[in-house]
Amino acid sequence: MSRVILSPQHPLSAGLTGESRLVRAYRGERSDTTPVWFMRQAGRSLPEYRDLRVGTRMLDACLDPAMASEITLQPVRRHRVDAGIFFSDIVVPLKLVGVDVEIQPGRGPVFGRGYADAAGVAELTAVDPARLDAASVPITEAVQRTIAELETTDNGSGTATPLIGFAGAPFTLAAYLAEGGPSKDHLAARTLMHADPGAWRALMEWTAELTGRFLRTQVLAGASAAQLFDSWAGALSLSDYETHVAPASAKALAHVHDLEYETTDASGAAVTRAVPVVHFGVGTGELLGAMHGIGVDTVGVDYRVPLDIAAARVGAGVPLQGNLDPALLGAPWPVLQAAVRDVLARGEAAPAHVFNLGHGVPPETDPTVLTRVVELVHEAGA
Ligand code: CP3
C-alpha cells in the first residue's frame, strides 16, 4: 500500500498530540497516568448540551460545524478527559450521500425503508460512495474548528488534547439498513447474510467504502486516532463474523491505514508512524481475537469481560480500552470507586490501558460523577 504523509499542520505531524497519554497508550506505551475518555461523553448527560440542542434535530446538529465542534469540546472542558470524540453519528455519511435517514430521540437511526433484499441493496449501492468526499465539507470544517481549540486545551498532561475520529463498522450500519431502523437481534441483516450472500457482500462492500471515507476525512482534517464501532457485532457467531463481516471491516480501515506522520522516537531517531486505530463492539467476548485480527492497534472491551481475561484472549502486546459497567455510574461513590480501581488493576494485564466505559454514558448520568471518575483514574492510575 502506498503511504500518505499527513500535512505538517496535522496535530500528529506538528508534535502536538503524538506524545499525549492517549496516543502513547494506543501504541502500547504507559505515561505518567492512565488516560481516560468516555463513549458518549458528549450528549444528554450534560446540561450545556441539552441547552445547545434545543430546537435542532440531531443530524442537523452534526452537520453544523460550529455546533458539532462546541458539543465535542464541552466534555473535554468539563471533565478534563484525555481525548475529545468527534460529535457526529455513524449514519452521517449515509445522510450525506442522500440516504433517507433521521435520528429519532430515544430510538436511534430510522430509515425511510429497509434494505433487506437484493433489490433494496441494488438501489442503495447505485449511489457512488465517492460522492461523500464532496459532501464532507461540514465534517472537515467541524474537525478543524475542534482541533484548533484542543491544541490549547491541556488537561494536565502537558500536551494538546487529541481528537478521536470514528465511524460505524459495515455490519453495525447494515444492521440498521437491513431492518430500516433499530432492532434487538438484527435479524434482517443476519438473514440476508445467509439468504443472499451476493447481495450481502455488495451491501458490506458499499458500506465499507462509505464509512471508510468518513473516517479518512476526519483523520485528514486533524483527528489523532480513529475508532471503528462495530457495536452490534456481538449478535454474530465467530464463524459468521470471520466469513461475512471481518473482511468488510478490514476494507473500511484500509481507508486510514495508509495515513502516516513523521516524528522522532525516544532516542531521537526519525520514525514514521501510522495513525492509531481502535475497534469496539458490545457483547463481543467471543470475537475479541478476531476483532483485533482485522488490523487494529487497540481493542475496546465492553463490561462483560474483565480486562485481564480480555488481555489473554487478544494475546500479548495489545493495548486495551474499557470497561467500567455504565450502570455503576448510578451506584454510591464507594461502590463506584472500588469498581474503577478494579478496572485499573485488571488493565495492568495489558501493555497499556485507556480507561473508558463498557458502553456509552447513560443520558441520566450525573455529570459531576463523571468528573470525579476522571480525577480518580488520573490519581489511582498513576
Ligand atoms: O460522545 C460521543 O461518543 C460522540 C458522539 C457519538 C454519537 N453517536 C452521538 C449521538 C458517537 C460515537 C455515536 C456512534 C453511534 N451512533 C453508535 C456506535 C456507538 C455505540 O453507542 O454503540 C451507534 C450504534 C449509533 C446509532 C445511534 N445514534 C443510537 C443507538 C442513538 C441513540 C438513540 C437515543 O436517543 O438514545 C443515536 C443518537 C445519538 N448519537 C445521540 C448522540 C449524542 C443522542 C441524540 C440526542 O441527544 O438527541
Side-chain angles (χ1 to χ4, degrees):
M1 198 193 313
S2 63
R3 302 286 163 188
V4 173
I5 300 292
L6 293 171
S7 84
Q9 291 78 37
H10 190 286
L12 286 170
S13 309
L16 295 168
T17 54
E19 296 304 315
S20 63
R21 290 169 184 153
L22 183 93
V23 174
R24 293 191 68 205
Y26 285 160
R27 64 170 182 261
E29 298 171 13
R30 289 196 177 256
S31 298
D32 61 320
T33 190
T34 305
V36 48
W37 67 277
F38 304 113
M39 293 184 276
R40 289 279 164 89
Q41 64 189 18
R44 283 171 294 182
S45 66
L46 300 184
E48 58 271 35
Y49 169 83
R50 297 194 298 263
D51 288 348
L52 197 60
R53 275 287 316 282
V54 171
T56 307
R57 285 179 304 180
M58 175 63 190
L59 289 176
D60 292 338
C62 294
L63 297 177
D64 175 337
M67 195 180 281
S69 170
E70 173 59 22
I71 293 172
T72 303
L73 293 163
Q74 285 175 344
V76 180
R77 296 190 198 111
R78 185 194 260 264
H79 303 309
R80 293 169 63 89
V81 279
D82 291 280
I85 176 143
F86 183 52
F87 181 79
S88 193
D89 196 84
I90 58 171
V91 299
V92 163
L94 293 161
K95 174 84 179 173
L96 285 173
V97 296
V99 175
D100 177 9
V101 59
E102 59 167 328
I103 292 183
Q104 289 184 4
R107 227 184 130 208
V110 176
F111 292 83
R113 54 167 291 180
Y115 302 91
D117 58 21
V121 170
E123 197 174 306
L124 189 67
T125 58
V127 177
D128 181 359
R131 274 178 50 186
L132 183 67
D133 296 351
S136 289
V137 175
I139 305 302
T140 297
E141 191 185 331
V143 169
Q144 286 172 342
R145 279 171 179 260
T146 307
I147 60 162
E149 186 156 340
L150 285 177
E151 281 173 10
T152 60
T153 309
D154 170 9
N155 59 355
S157 69
T159 72
T161 302
L163 178 69
I164 302 169
F166 76 92
F171 175 75
T172 290
L173 285 167
Y176 287 107
L177 285 163
E179 204 81 39
S183 65
K184 195 162 156 286
D185 298 315
H186 321 300
L187 273 184
R190 292 194 290 125
T191 299
L192 180 63
M193 170 187 303
H194 294 284
D196 192 339
W200 175 255
R201 207 171 314 112
L203 175 61
M204 294 296 275
E205 284 185 1
W206 182 83
T207 311
E209 180 76 25
L210 189 71
T211 208
R213 283 172 184 269
F214 179 56
L215 200 55
R216 184 180 185 87
T217 295
Q218 295 167 60
V219 173
L220 288 175
S224 292
Q227 177 154 326
L228 190 70
F229 281 96
D230 208 351
S231 298
W232 312 136
L236 300 166
S237 67
L238 177 60
S239 107
D240 279 349
Y241 177 77
E242 286 180 326
T243 308
H244 299 290
V245 169
S249 292
K251 268 192 185 145
L253 289 181
H255 287 266
V256 292
H257 273 327
D258 62 329
L259 301 179
E260 297 191 337
Y261 62 104
E262 289 165 341
T263 182
T264 49
D265 69 10
S267 70
V271 288
T272 304
R273 290 196 167 118
V275 175
V277 177
V278 188
H279 195 193
F280 167 82
V282 179
T284 50
E286 299 296 320
L287 310 180
L288 290 173
M291 287 177 70
H292 175 245
I294 70 163
V296 298
D297 303 284
T298 297
V299 173
V301 183
D302 93 339
Y303 56 88
R304 292 168 183 83
V305 181
L307 291 181
D308 49 330
I309 295 175
R313 291 187 188 174
V314 296
V318 181
L320 294 179
Q321 178 170 281
N323 74 344
L324 180 77
D325 184 346
L328 270 294
L329 294 171
W333 178 248
V335 176
L336 173 54
Q337 193 179 31
V340 169
R341 289 182 188 277
D342 183 61
V343 169
L344 286 169
R346 292 177 187 275
E348 283 174 28
H353 173 208
V354 175
F355 191 98
N356 206 310
L357 304 178
H359 200 187
V361 174
E364 56 277 10
T365 303
D366 173 355
T368 64
V369 171
L370 290 172
T371 307
R372 244 181 131 180
V373 169
V374 173
E375 287 166 0
L376 176 60
V377 170
H378 282 161
E379 177 200 306

